[in-house]
PDB file of all heavy atoms in Angstrom:
ATOM      1  N   GLY A  67      -9.556   7.795  -1.170  1.00  0.00           N
ATOM      2  CA  GLY A  67     -10.740   8.457  -1.704  1.00  0.00           C
ATOM      3  C   GLY A  67     -11.999   8.131  -0.933  1.00  0.00           C
ATOM      4  O   GLY A  67     -12.808   9.007  -0.630  1.00  0.00           O
ATOM      5  N   VAL A  68     -12.162   6.870  -0.577  1.00  0.00           N
ATOM      6  CA  VAL A  68     -13.353   6.435   0.159  1.00  0.00           C
ATOM      7  C   VAL A  68     -13.327   6.979   1.582  1.00  0.00           C
ATOM      8  O   VAL A  68     -14.316   7.524   2.073  1.00  0.00           O
ATOM      9  CB  VAL A  68     -13.464   4.894   0.162  1.00  0.00           C
ATOM     10  CG1 VAL A  68     -14.508   4.414   1.150  1.00  0.00           C
ATOM     11  CG2 VAL A  68     -13.769   4.384  -1.236  1.00  0.00           C
ATOM     12  N   MET A  69     -12.207   6.847   2.245  1.00  0.00           N
ATOM     13  CA  MET A  69     -12.145   7.215   3.665  1.00  0.00           C
ATOM     14  C   MET A  69     -12.159   8.716   3.900  1.00  0.00           C
ATOM     15  O   MET A  69     -12.646   9.168   4.930  1.00  0.00           O
ATOM     16  CB  MET A  69     -10.934   6.576   4.315  1.00  0.00           C
ATOM     17  CG  MET A  69     -11.062   5.076   4.349  1.00  0.00           C
ATOM     18  SD  MET A  69      -9.779   4.322   5.322  1.00  0.00           S
ATOM     19  CE  MET A  69     -10.643   2.845   5.817  1.00  0.00           C
ATOM     20  N   ALA A  70     -11.655   9.487   2.956  1.00  0.00           N
ATOM     21  CA  ALA A  70     -11.672  10.942   3.120  1.00  0.00           C
ATOM     22  C   ALA A  70     -13.074  11.504   3.021  1.00  0.00           C
ATOM     23  O   ALA A  70     -13.331  12.618   3.458  1.00  0.00           O
ATOM     24  CB  ALA A  70     -10.764  11.594   2.083  1.00  0.00           C
ATOM     25  N   SER A  71     -14.014  10.739   2.465  1.00  0.00           N
ATOM     26  CA  SER A  71     -15.375  11.233   2.280  1.00  0.00           C
ATOM     27  C   SER A  71     -16.241  11.083   3.531  1.00  0.00           C
ATOM     28  O   SER A  71     -17.366  11.560   3.553  1.00  0.00           O
ATOM     29  CB  SER A  71     -16.040  10.495   1.112  1.00  0.00           C
ATOM     30  OG  SER A  71     -16.216   9.128   1.432  1.00  0.00           O
ATOM     31  N   SER A  72     -15.732  10.436   4.553  1.00  0.00           N
ATOM     32  CA  SER A  72     -16.545  10.186   5.739  1.00  0.00           C
ATOM     33  C   SER A  72     -15.682  10.222   6.993  1.00  0.00           C
ATOM     34  O   SER A  72     -14.701   9.484   7.098  1.00  0.00           O
ATOM     35  CB  SER A  72     -17.207   8.805   5.618  1.00  0.00           C
ATOM     36  OG  SER A  72     -17.684   8.364   6.858  1.00  0.00           O
ATOM     37  N   ALA A  73     -16.073  11.058   7.944  1.00  0.00           N
ATOM     38  CA  ALA A  73     -15.322  11.143   9.196  1.00  0.00           C
ATOM     39  C   ALA A  73     -15.342   9.808   9.942  1.00  0.00           C
ATOM     40  O   ALA A  73     -14.363   9.423  10.566  1.00  0.00           O
ATOM     41  CB  ALA A  73     -15.888  12.250  10.081  1.00  0.00           C
ATOM     42  N   ALA A  74     -16.451   9.087   9.849  1.00  0.00           N
ATOM     43  CA  ALA A  74     -16.544   7.787  10.524  1.00  0.00           C
ATOM     44  C   ALA A  74     -15.572   6.792   9.919  1.00  0.00           C
ATOM     45  O   ALA A  74     -14.973   5.986  10.633  1.00  0.00           O
ATOM     46  CB  ALA A  74     -17.973   7.248  10.437  1.00  0.00           C
ATOM     47  N   MET A  75     -15.389   6.842   8.597  1.00  0.00           N
ATOM     48  CA  MET A  75     -14.457   5.921   7.943  1.00  0.00           C
ATOM     49  C   MET A  75     -13.012   6.388   8.094  1.00  0.00           C
ATOM     50  O   MET A  75     -12.108   5.575   8.193  1.00  0.00           O
ATOM     51  CB  MET A  75     -14.817   5.779   6.466  1.00  0.00           C
ATOM     52  CG  MET A  75     -16.136   5.050   6.261  1.00  0.00           C
ATOM     53  SD  MET A  75     -16.545   4.865   4.536  1.00  0.00           S
ATOM     54  CE  MET A  75     -15.358   3.634   4.062  1.00  0.00           C
ATOM     55  N   GLU A  76     -12.803   7.703   8.103  1.00  0.00           N
ATOM     56  CA  GLU A  76     -11.447   8.242   8.188  1.00  0.00           C
ATOM     57  C   GLU A  76     -10.724   7.793   9.454  1.00  0.00           C
ATOM     58  O   GLU A  76      -9.514   7.625   9.458  1.00  0.00           O
ATOM     59  CB  GLU A  76     -11.484   9.769   8.114  1.00  0.00           C
ATOM     60  CG  GLU A  76     -10.113  10.393   7.974  1.00  0.00           C
ATOM     61  CD  GLU A  76     -10.190  11.888   7.777  1.00  0.00           C
ATOM     62  OE1 GLU A  76     -10.557  12.309   6.667  1.00  0.00           O
ATOM     63  OE2 GLU A  76      -9.885  12.613   8.743  1.00  0.00           O
ATOM     64  N   ARG A  77     -11.475   7.537  10.502  1.00  0.00           N
ATOM     65  CA  ARG A  77     -10.820   7.113  11.754  1.00  0.00           C
ATOM     66  C   ARG A  77     -10.176   5.740  11.624  1.00  0.00           C
ATOM     67  O   ARG A  77      -9.358   5.345  12.441  1.00  0.00           O
ATOM     68  CB  ARG A  77     -11.797   7.172  12.917  1.00  0.00           C
ATOM     69  CG  ARG A  77     -12.973   6.219  12.801  1.00  0.00           C
ATOM     70  CD  ARG A  77     -13.955   6.443  13.916  1.00  0.00           C
ATOM     71  NE  ARG A  77     -13.357   6.019  15.160  1.00  0.00           N
ATOM     72  CZ  ARG A  77     -13.930   5.217  16.023  1.00  0.00           C
ATOM     73  NH1 ARG A  77     -15.150   4.795  15.823  1.00  0.00           N
ATOM     74  NH2 ARG A  77     -13.311   4.851  17.110  1.00  0.00           N
ATOM     75  N   TRP A  78     -10.541   4.986  10.573  1.00  0.00           N
ATOM     76  CA  TRP A  78      -9.937   3.665  10.337  1.00  0.00           C
ATOM     77  C   TRP A  78      -8.761   3.732   9.368  1.00  0.00           C
ATOM     78  O   TRP A  78      -8.163   2.709   9.055  1.00  0.00           O
ATOM     79  CB  TRP A  78     -10.996   2.687   9.817  1.00  0.00           C
ATOM     80  CG  TRP A  78     -12.020   2.432  10.865  1.00  0.00           C
ATOM     81  CD1 TRP A  78     -13.273   2.950  10.921  1.00  0.00           C
ATOM     82  CD2 TRP A  78     -11.872   1.628  12.035  1.00  0.00           C
ATOM     83  NE1 TRP A  78     -13.920   2.523  12.059  1.00  0.00           N
ATOM     84  CE2 TRP A  78     -13.070   1.707  12.764  1.00  0.00           C
ATOM     85  CE3 TRP A  78     -10.828   0.852  12.543  1.00  0.00           C
ATOM     86  CZ2 TRP A  78     -13.268   1.038  13.962  1.00  0.00           C
ATOM     87  CZ3 TRP A  78     -11.016   0.182  13.738  1.00  0.00           C
ATOM     88  CH2 TRP A  78     -12.225   0.284  14.434  1.00  0.00           C
ATOM     89  N   TRP A  79      -8.405   4.942   8.912  1.00  0.00           N
ATOM     90  CA  TRP A  79      -7.284   5.105   7.989  1.00  0.00           C
ATOM     91  C   TRP A  79      -5.982   4.499   8.524  1.00  0.00           C
ATOM     92  O   TRP A  79      -5.268   3.834   7.764  1.00  0.00           O
ATOM     93  CB  TRP A  79      -7.111   6.577   7.629  1.00  0.00           C
ATOM     94  CG  TRP A  79      -5.903   6.814   6.773  1.00  0.00           C
ATOM     95  CD1 TRP A  79      -4.757   7.460   7.139  1.00  0.00           C
ATOM     96  CD2 TRP A  79      -5.709   6.405   5.420  1.00  0.00           C
ATOM     97  NE1 TRP A  79      -3.869   7.477   6.097  1.00  0.00           N
ATOM     98  CE2 TRP A  79      -4.429   6.826   5.028  1.00  0.00           C
ATOM     99  CE3 TRP A  79      -6.488   5.706   4.500  1.00  0.00           C
ATOM    100  CZ2 TRP A  79      -3.908   6.594   3.759  1.00  0.00           C
ATOM    101  CZ3 TRP A  79      -5.965   5.467   3.244  1.00  0.00           C
ATOM    102  CH2 TRP A  79      -4.697   5.906   2.880  1.00  0.00           C
ATOM    103  N   PRO A  80      -5.631   4.668   9.796  1.00  0.00           N
ATOM    104  CA  PRO A  80      -4.374   4.064  10.268  1.00  0.00           C
ATOM    105  C   PRO A  80      -4.332   2.541  10.078  1.00  0.00           C
ATOM    106  O   PRO A  80      -3.278   1.978   9.789  1.00  0.00           O
ATOM    107  CB  PRO A  80      -4.322   4.436  11.755  1.00  0.00           C
ATOM    108  CG  PRO A  80      -5.150   5.664  11.861  1.00  0.00           C
ATOM    109  CD  PRO A  80      -6.264   5.484  10.843  1.00  0.00           C
ATOM    110  N   LEU A  81      -5.469   1.885  10.216  1.00  0.00           N
ATOM    111  CA  LEU A  81      -5.529   0.426  10.026  1.00  0.00           C
ATOM    112  C   LEU A  81      -5.340   0.066   8.553  1.00  0.00           C
ATOM    113  O   LEU A  81      -4.553  -0.815   8.207  1.00  0.00           O
ATOM    114  CB  LEU A  81      -6.871  -0.120  10.516  1.00  0.00           C
ATOM    115  CG  LEU A  81      -7.118  -1.611  10.266  1.00  0.00           C
ATOM    116  CD1 LEU A  81      -6.279  -2.448  11.222  1.00  0.00           C
ATOM    117  CD2 LEU A  81      -8.592  -1.938  10.405  1.00  0.00           C
ATOM    118  N   VAL A  82      -6.043   0.790   7.681  1.00  0.00           N
ATOM    119  CA  VAL A  82      -6.077   0.432   6.266  1.00  0.00           C
ATOM    120  C   VAL A  82      -4.888   1.003   5.489  1.00  0.00           C
ATOM    121  O   VAL A  82      -4.217   0.272   4.756  1.00  0.00           O
ATOM    122  CB  VAL A  82      -7.404   0.896   5.629  1.00  0.00           C
ATOM    123  CG1 VAL A  82      -7.424   0.634   4.147  1.00  0.00           C
ATOM    124  CG2 VAL A  82      -8.580   0.222   6.316  1.00  0.00           C
ATOM    125  N   GLY A  83      -4.625   2.310   5.606  1.00  0.00           N
ATOM    126  CA  GLY A  83      -3.581   2.971   4.807  1.00  0.00           C
ATOM    127  C   GLY A  83      -2.176   2.582   5.219  1.00  0.00           C
ATOM    128  O   GLY A  83      -1.571   1.679   4.627  1.00  0.00           O
ATOM    129  N   PRO A  84      -1.635   3.253   6.230  1.00  0.00           N
ATOM    130  CA  PRO A  84      -0.266   2.932   6.634  1.00  0.00           C
ATOM    131  C   PRO A  84      -0.143   1.528   7.226  1.00  0.00           C
ATOM    132  O   PRO A  84       0.918   0.918   7.155  1.00  0.00           O
ATOM    133  CB  PRO A  84       0.085   3.985   7.674  1.00  0.00           C
ATOM    134  CG  PRO A  84      -1.134   4.754   7.946  1.00  0.00           C
ATOM    135  CD  PRO A  84      -2.185   4.382   6.959  1.00  0.00           C
ATOM    136  N   GLY A  85      -1.240   0.992   7.753  1.00  0.00           N
ATOM    137  CA  GLY A  85      -1.198  -0.346   8.343  1.00  0.00           C
ATOM    138  C   GLY A  85      -1.223  -1.438   7.295  1.00  0.00           C
ATOM    139  O   GLY A  85      -0.183  -1.906   6.832  1.00  0.00           O
ATOM    140  N   ALA A  86      -2.427  -1.861   6.891  1.00  0.00           N
ATOM    141  CA  ALA A  86      -2.569  -3.019   5.989  1.00  0.00           C
ATOM    142  C   ALA A  86      -1.905  -2.783   4.632  1.00  0.00           C
ATOM    143  O   ALA A  86      -1.162  -3.641   4.142  1.00  0.00           O
ATOM    144  CB  ALA A  86      -4.046  -3.349   5.800  1.00  0.00           C
ATOM    145  N   LEU A  87      -2.149  -1.637   4.020  1.00  0.00           N
ATOM    146  CA  LEU A  87      -1.593  -1.419   2.690  1.00  0.00           C
ATOM    147  C   LEU A  87      -0.116  -1.038   2.738  1.00  0.00           C
ATOM    148  O   LEU A  87       0.632  -1.358   1.814  1.00  0.00           O
ATOM    149  CB  LEU A  87      -2.433  -0.390   1.938  1.00  0.00           C
ATOM    150  CG  LEU A  87      -3.865  -0.883   1.696  1.00  0.00           C
ATOM    151  CD1 LEU A  87      -4.741   0.225   1.143  1.00  0.00           C
ATOM    152  CD2 LEU A  87      -3.870  -2.100   0.799  1.00  0.00           C
ATOM    153  N   GLY A  88       0.300  -0.408   3.821  1.00  0.00           N
ATOM    154  CA  GLY A  88       1.740  -0.174   4.008  1.00  0.00           C
ATOM    155  C   GLY A  88       2.491  -1.481   4.227  1.00  0.00           C
ATOM    156  O   GLY A  88       3.601  -1.670   3.737  1.00  0.00           O
ATOM    157  N   GLY A  89       1.859  -2.406   4.946  1.00  0.00           N
ATOM    158  CA  GLY A  89       2.468  -3.723   5.143  1.00  0.00           C
ATOM    159  C   GLY A  89       2.418  -4.584   3.896  1.00  0.00           C
ATOM    160  O   GLY A  89       3.280  -5.428   3.681  1.00  0.00           O
ATOM    161  N   PHE A  90       1.413  -4.358   3.049  1.00  0.00           N
ATOM    162  CA  PHE A  90       1.264  -5.130   1.814  1.00  0.00           C
ATOM    163  C   PHE A  90       2.284  -4.704   0.763  1.00  0.00           C
ATOM    164  O   PHE A  90       2.919  -5.536   0.134  1.00  0.00           O
ATOM    165  CB  PHE A  90      -0.154  -4.969   1.276  1.00  0.00           C
ATOM    166  CG  PHE A  90      -0.419  -5.759   0.019  1.00  0.00           C
ATOM    167  CD1 PHE A  90      -0.533  -7.144   0.075  1.00  0.00           C
ATOM    168  CD2 PHE A  90      -0.559  -5.120  -1.199  1.00  0.00           C
ATOM    169  CE1 PHE A  90      -0.774  -7.884  -1.081  1.00  0.00           C
ATOM    170  CE2 PHE A  90      -0.810  -5.849  -2.355  1.00  0.00           C
ATOM    171  CZ  PHE A  90      -0.912  -7.234  -2.294  1.00  0.00           C
ATOM    172  N   THR A  91       2.423  -3.398   0.564  1.00  0.00           N
ATOM    173  CA  THR A  91       3.409  -2.932  -0.410  1.00  0.00           C
ATOM    174  C   THR A  91       4.797  -3.140   0.159  1.00  0.00           C
ATOM    175  O   THR A  91       4.993  -3.172   1.360  1.00  0.00           O
ATOM    176  CB  THR A  91       3.195  -1.449  -0.765  1.00  0.00           C
ATOM    177  OG1 THR A  91       3.232  -0.669   0.415  1.00  0.00           O
ATOM    178  CG2 THR A  91       1.879  -1.241  -1.483  1.00  0.00           C
TER     179      THR A  91
END
Side-chain angles (χ1 to χ4, degrees):
V68 168
M69 294 189 153
S71 66
S72 164
M75 292 181 72
E76 189 175 286
R77 64 186 291 230
W78 294 103
W79 175 249
L81 175 74
V82 176
L87 296 171
F90 181 72
T91 56

